[in-house]
Amino acid sequence: MNINATLFGQAITFAILIWFTMKFVWPPVVAALDERSKRISEGLEAAERGRQDYAKAELRSQDALNEAKARASEIIALSEKQAQIIVQQAHDAAVIEANRVKAQAQAEVEQEVMRARDSLRDRVADLAVSGAEKILRREINVQAHADLLTAIQAEL
Amino acid sequence: MTESAAPSSSEYIHHHLTNLVIGKGFWSFDIDTLVTSAVLGLIVFGFMASVARKATSGVPGRTQAAVEILLEMVQTQVRDTFHGESGIVGPLALTIFVWVFCLNAMDLLPVDLVSLLMSSVGVGHWKAVPTTDPNLTFAMSITVFFLILYYNFKIKKCGGFMREVFTVPFGAKLAPFNLLFRLIEDLAKPVSLALRLFGNMYAGEMVFILIALLPPYLQWVLGAPWAIFHILIITLQAFIFMILTIIYLSMAHESH
């Protein structure tokens, strides 16, 4: 074990290595490590935020869904009511129309009956007159009984 | 171990424990220690710097992840022990751990391989493990020692440091004893740091050399377990050097 000037040489080498490590090795790696841990913590934070956002969005979508369901059933109920009203209206209109047609038909029938009765009355009067004419041709003047026939005619 | 001259065991051991020295007396240099440690430092720290330069804060590749694991291990140790604000402690700890680990790891190369390679290019001695050279361990621990002094003065200012030196632990009346205790305490730090690492690695290397003296067909019986165990030791020694440096510097930052 002999101590000599190698001591100084080694001390210089050692000092250079310390300086070198301080300048070129330590700072970049430490910077990279710090940067990475920062990014990781940011990433975790973002993930947490995303998770919360997702939960909120899910809640919101659930709300929207419920609202839509409520609206839909409301609309269905409304339209059912509307349909009932329409059916009712159609029914009413049909009844009114039927009544109208019926009334018209009745009126026509009555008119027809009237007319038939008139024409029958005329025919009966004619028949009566011609019959009476045949019976009474010889002895009775047509002119003399015309008043009587008219009176009968009025009674029919 | 078999060379043309067929050296005796003691010659063989001595050969492996001798540095390649240039110069005379104190002003001589252990070339093998200087070159090995510098080249290893260049490779390892150059590699780490290239990884660091391309470091991304996104998904890291395996290489970057490996460097990050290492750095985070050091950072955790620094954060647990050191409570002051100093930019140098982390990089210093990382430098010590990585460098000492790599220098120690040279111990795992076959003991004859490096010296055989070097002697084939005409270099007589080549100690492959720089941490078995006390010059290196003392150079590191003395650098750490000066950093401790520097931070003592910087954080506590001259007055605060002097008050601590002369009044702790016995109070102002026993100032000389306090000074003596403080000197012993502070000088023990670099000495123990350097000698612990040196002693462990020197002893480990010695065991490898002794194992290499066994007949070749028997060497693995002891060599393999010792090498596996040594993986633990080289890591542990690097870790201890690092953690003690952090502790000493944190003590320099805090008042007693």
Side-chain angles (χ1 to χ4, degrees), chain B residues 8-192:
Chain B
S8 70
S9 296
S10 63
E11 276 171 353
Y12 174 75
I13 293 171
H14 189 257
H15 171 81
H16 272 286
L17 292 178
T18 307
N19 283 106
L20 178 66
V21 184
I22 289 181
K24 278 216 157 67
F26 178 75
W27 287 105
S28 52
F29 293 95
D30 299 346
I31 299 301
D32 44 7
T33 303
L34 285 167
V35 170
T36 310
S37 62
V39 167
L40 268 181
L42 209 65
I43 292 170
V44 174
F45 288 95
F47 168 73
M48 293 217 300
S50 80
V51 173
R53 198 167 52 82
K54 287 178 287 186
T56 161
S57 59
V59 180
R62 300 178 108 173
T63 323
Q64 193 193 329
V67 172
E68 281 175 6
I69 288 169
L70 191 64
L71 193 141
E72 283 193 310
M73 184 277 287
V74 173
Q75 206 176 25
T76 310
Q77 298 301 335
V78 171
R79 213 174 277 151
D80 287 351
T81 316
F82 185 83
H83 302 297
E85 274 295 319
S86 174
I88 199 179
V89 179
L92 173 69
L94 182 67
T95 312
I96 289 173
F97 182 73
V98 172
W99 202 33
V100 171
F101 177 82
C102 291
L103 299 182
N104 288 351
M106 294 298 286
D107 219 355
L108 295 172
L109 293 176
V111 282
D112 279 335
L113 182 67
V114 179
S115 61
L116 210 64
L117 279 175
M118 295 315 284
S119 65
S120 73
V121 293
V123 178
H125 296 285
W126 194 272
K127 238 168 111 181
V129 192
T131 38
T132 57
D133 185 347
N135 286 309
L136 181 137
T137 60
F138 271 106
M140 290 182 76
S141 69
I142 288 169
T143 310
V144 170
F145 176 69
F146 279 121
L147 280 173
I148 293 170
L149 279 186
Y150 171 73
Y151 280 107
N152 264 316
F153 276 109
K154 189 188 169 193
I155 302 296
K156 298 163 187 165
K157 307 291 177 231
C158 200
F161 183 44
M162 285 306 143
R163 200 175 62 235
E164 193 180 287
V165 168
F166 285 107
T167 61
V168 177
F170 298 128
K173 282 177 186 159
L174 290 169
F177 292 101
N178 291 333
L179 176 63
L180 185 66
F181 266 64
R182 181 63 182 223
L183 282 176
I184 294 170
E185 184 191 335
D186 274 4
L187 286 177
K189 286 172 186 170
V191 171
S192 67

Side-chain angles (χ1 to χ4, degrees), chain A residues 80-146:
Chain A
E80 264 171 4
K81 213 157 111 193
Q82 200 72 30
Q84 263 174 356
I85 289 169
I86 289 168
V87 167
Q88 191 60 49
Q89 278 173 349
H91 180 74
D92 291 352
V95 168
I96 289 168
E97 178 67 11
N99 285 343
R100 195 182 61 78
V101 169
K102 209 166 94 182
Q104 201 178 356
Q106 228 159 15
E108 269 170 24
V109 165
E110 259 164 38
Q111 238 169 2
E112 211 55 43
V113 166
M114 258 332 199
R115 225 186 345 258
R117 195 175 280 168
D118 281 354
S119 80
L120 268 179
R121 197 184 286 153
D122 289 346
R123 292 273 293 152
V124 166
D126 285 349
L127 275 176
V129 171
S130 69
E133 221 175 38
K134 275 169 187 165
I135 296 165
L136 301 174
R137 184 166 305 165
R138 286 159 294 181
E139 54 198 283
I140 292 157
N141 187 342
V142 174
Q143 214 65 43
H145 295 284

